[in-house]
Amino acid sequence: MRRRIALLLAAAVAVGALVAGVVHLTGPKAAGLPAVGRVIPAAQRPPGPGISGTTLAGAHLDIAAWRGGPVVVNFWGSWCAPCRAEAPVLARVARDTRRLGVHFAGIDIREGPAAGLAFDRNYRIPYPSFSDPDSLLGARFGPFAPVATPSTYVLDARGRIAWAYFGRTYYTQLELAVVQVARP
């Protein structure tokens, strides 16, 4: 019984922290993102961080090489149930928006590369993912850092954060945001 109460209390604290984080990021005096789940007007877009490192396949990748087109960055882990549910959506949006010059990169957090590679193969992920077991790439987002897993960002052609969503995304939601950001 005590264990159950402790688990319920921990869950309530986690939900409260998530809600507080979203409120902090979206509140009228927030230092964080001006909007979460909506495309941010170009004049209000904060700069995105430099993201580079080693992919799960062992290659070096610097997403700055993709400037000139939108970049979708998704934070995930194979241990995360919403990430597993969202993986086919991300793969489909990546394939469907490739013609618009959109690039995708995943960031596999809090686990070793072997688990991430198995996840990529299982879900046939068509884009590279970074291995980030210590969540250092998320920290580069500073006050705009992910507050949940999964978290997805769309960076515009200039590398600015144009859209962010904390939690599982759905096809119509993500595809609409990517297409809006891809428009000149």
Side-chain angles (χ1 to χ4, degrees), residues 55-58 74 76-78 83-84 87-88 90-91 95 105-108 111 113-131:
T55 66
L56 292 172
N74 176 257
W76 61 274
S78 66
C83 300
R84 291 190 300 270
L90 288 158
R95 284 189 292 272
I107 300 179
D108 178 24
E111 64 188 354
L117 276 171
F119 180 92
D120 272 3
R121 287 185 188 123
N122 185 48
Y123 290 99
R124 294 182 173 92
I125 303 299
Y127 51 84
S129 285
F130 293 96
S131 177

Side-chain angles (χ1 to χ4, degrees), residues 76-142:
W76 61 274
S78 66
W79 43 266
C80 164
C83 300
R84 291 190 300 270
E86 176 185 73
V89 168
L90 288 158
R92 183 173 164 214
V93 174
R95 284 189 292 272
D96 291 353
T97 60
R98 185 178 308 143
R99 63 180 163 43
L100 300 174
V102 178
H103 292 301
F104 276 64
I107 300 179
D108 178 24
I109 62 171
R110 298 190 301 228
E111 64 188 354
L117 276 171
F119 180 92
D120 272 3
R121 287 185 188 123
N122 185 48
Y123 290 99
R124 294 182 173 92
I125 303 299
Y127 51 84
S129 285
F130 293 96
S131 177
D132 190 26
D134 299 321
S135 301
L136 298 176
L137 294 175
R140 292 183 186 172
F141 280 78

